[in-house]
Amino acid sequence: MALAWSVAAAIPAAAAGGAAIDQLAWMSGTWGAEKDGRWTEEHWTAPRGGLMLGVNRTGAGDAARGFEFLRIQAGSDGVLSYWAAPAGQAPVPFRLTASTADSVTFENPQHDFPTVITYRREGDRLQATIAGPGGAKAMSWTWQRR
């Protein structure tokens, strides 16, 4: 799956000195989707104290099948990092590489998979996409605001 990016609208994190956590307030809220008995949901707290916390849960019927703890916070250099801890594993950092008013991209080229995590908001929908190098094996989830 190819990601369509508006290059003119993307602001490289290095050029902007890193986006402030408050610029990601558009991600906050409860998001969910259901199809054919399977469900997925993601919740993000509003930015506060330089931190956003998230949790993701997936399942089918009445049974949860997976979960992930998430965190976005600036590092000592002031650049935001997205920390993902799927199924209780040790958190893995992904460094901010681009942001716009309604999208953000984090990357960790040393991670096995994914190496890129992108969030984009379109109205009452939030889409998360993960991919390997060069967009390989991209997977996306689209949720409605709940």
Side-chain angles (χ1 to χ4, degrees):
M1 173 181 171
L3 294 175
W5 278 100
S6 172
V7 176
I11 302 168
I21 192 89
D22 292 344
Q23 293 173 318
L24 301 183
W26 54 264
M27 287 176 60
S28 63
T30 299
W31 308 89
E34 246 183 276
K35 184 176 180 179
D36 301 327
R38 295 178 184 265
W39 49 267
T40 178
E41 57 193 29
E42 191 155 303
H43 177 81
W44 281 98
T45 63
R48 187 169 187 183
L51 177 69
M52 288 179 73
L53 297 173
V55 64
N56 179 288
R57 178 170 55 179
T58 60
D62 291 336
R65 304 283 185 204
F67 67 95
E68 187 167 13
F69 297 116
L70 309 162
R71 170 174 45 118
I72 300 174
Q73 187 172 31
S76 59
D77 60 0
V79 177
L80 295 177
S81 286
Y82 176 103
W83 294 80
Q89 296 176 22
V92 175
F94 294 80
R95 189 172 165 90
L96 177 81
T97 57
S99 66
T100 69
D102 57 7
S103 69
V104 65
T105 300
F106 299 92
E107 298 185 42
N108 180 339
Q110 285 74 44
H111 192 251
D112 56 354
F113 185 87
T115 58
V116 179
I117 299 171
T118 301
Y119 280 84
R120 173 176 287 133
R121 181 166 174 192
E122 295 178 6
D124 65 350
R125 293 177 189 251
L126 181 68
Q127 181 181 57
T129 301
I130 62 172
K137 299 181 183 178
M139 294 184 280
S140 293
W141 295 264
T142 301
W143 303 290
Q144 289 284 132
R145 182 175 287 285
R146 301 281 184 200

